[in-house]
Amino acid sequence: MLARRQLYLNYGALSLATLLDSMGIETLLVHGEHSEPADVLAMLLDKGVFPSRLPVMLSIPSFYALPWAQIFCQLVRGADPDARIIVGGRWVVGPDPDWLHAKLPEANLLVPGLAEPVIASLLTNAPDLRRLPAPTPDIVLNHPLVSGFERYQPSIEASRGCGMGCAFCEERDIRLEKLRAPEQIASTLAAVASQYGNSEIRPYFQSSMFAPNVNWGTGLANAVRALGLNVQWRTESRVDALTPETIAGLAEAGMKVLDLGLETASPTQILNMRKSRNPDRYLERASTLLKACGDYGIAAKVNVLLYAGETARTLDETRSFLDEHKGSIAGVSVGPVVAYGPPKIADILLREWSRSGAAPVDPSSANDSGISMIHLSQDFDSQSAEAASLELSRRYMDAEAYFNLKSFSYYPRDYARADFDRDVAASDTSQLPFRISPQIPS
């Protein structure tokens, strides 16, 4: 029950909807959320927006959404045999369109990559399917195009790409773009606040690696102050990408929560993940950044990844680091690594991980679903890795810490603590990633 409360704005799809709307094309963006495909289609029929002479464009953000998409496409085709179904979602379509087409035979068109440069052509009889450069669009996302947008926290796209080379990351080879100018971000922030009627919003600054320098942070603080804005926001970055001086400026500019990709504090695993060639320097910068977050009132949520070759020793190294810095940590997100994608790309990762003693739980899962769960090592099979992830998560988060972090960006804007407590009571507490008891971990 608790997991099904989460809402996450598909800001990539909203970018496309915003562009179409700016062309004068009537556009509606609907999130499937946790509804059944039949219920979503029934809602579209009730609204009178389907059937339509315009295409049904379906964005599949992850392989977990593929079974839902398969049913939805079947229902759309049944309800309107002439419907033109166009499917996007860069991480799902891009790796192997032929594989995906076999999974979604009802789709008329699969669009790989980022679609901003070609979106207008998709409405014509001559769609452009080239993978063209798609830099961060200099637009304000039009959140009211989203059905029930008031329930969602808004997004502001700050930059695209990363290119840091981490072994497990989809964007390891995609070059990091320059951040949009601080003045642009501030004016976008003001425009988005206006879309919500100037009620409280907590935007997420979307960036695969948010890495401003101190001048950018100071510039944003000045631009926000000049516009008289008082908006708290959240973003994500690496633990070695920001300095304390930059954190000071970002805190002044309204940053309140920072998701940090630590992933591991084991020197062995840092090298295996290709997070850094210098583990000692990596951990030193992580320690400095976490302390700065505590000093400037930033809630640091630390991401931890149990990786191929994980052992009791490497996990203990991570646990010891987190224990040492628990006073600066607002919460953690922990999970074992998963290989996403059809065999064409999953097999590359699986071969690399096999050299560390890892193996897929089901060798056919990459072809069947695009999701390969992993036995990490002799120390951690898939089940024990899940159990260790839950244990580590609970070590640093109680219910209050978890609610504070989730409600900032992921729960509906009208979701109160009393709602959360009712959902916790209706959930299997053995599967919750936080302690019900407020005790401090030893």
Side-chain angles (χ1 to χ4, degrees), residues 1 17 27 74 93 178 266 280 341 350 417:
M1 178 62 72
T27 307
Q74 291 166 9
V93 177
K178 185 179 180 180
S266 163
D280 290 342
L350 295 174
R417 180 59 192 266

Side-chain angles (χ1 to χ4, degrees), residues 24 43 49 53 59 144 181 186 233 242 255 261 309 347 349 359 383 395 423 431:
M43 181 270 290
V49 298
R53 62 179 180 82
S59 171
W233 49 272
L242 297 169
M255 184 173 75
D347 287 352
L349 276 176
Q383 286 189 323
R395 186 178 183 88
D423 287 338
Q431 298 301 308

Side-chain angles (χ1 to χ4, degrees), residues 257 290 298-302 325-332 396-398 401-402 405:
V257 181
L290 284 169
I298 305 297
K301 195 268 287 180
V302 177
H325 297 86
K326 65 184 179 183
S328 301
I329 295 173
V332 295
Y396 305 103
M397 279 194 304
D398 59 17
Y402 184 86
L405 287 170

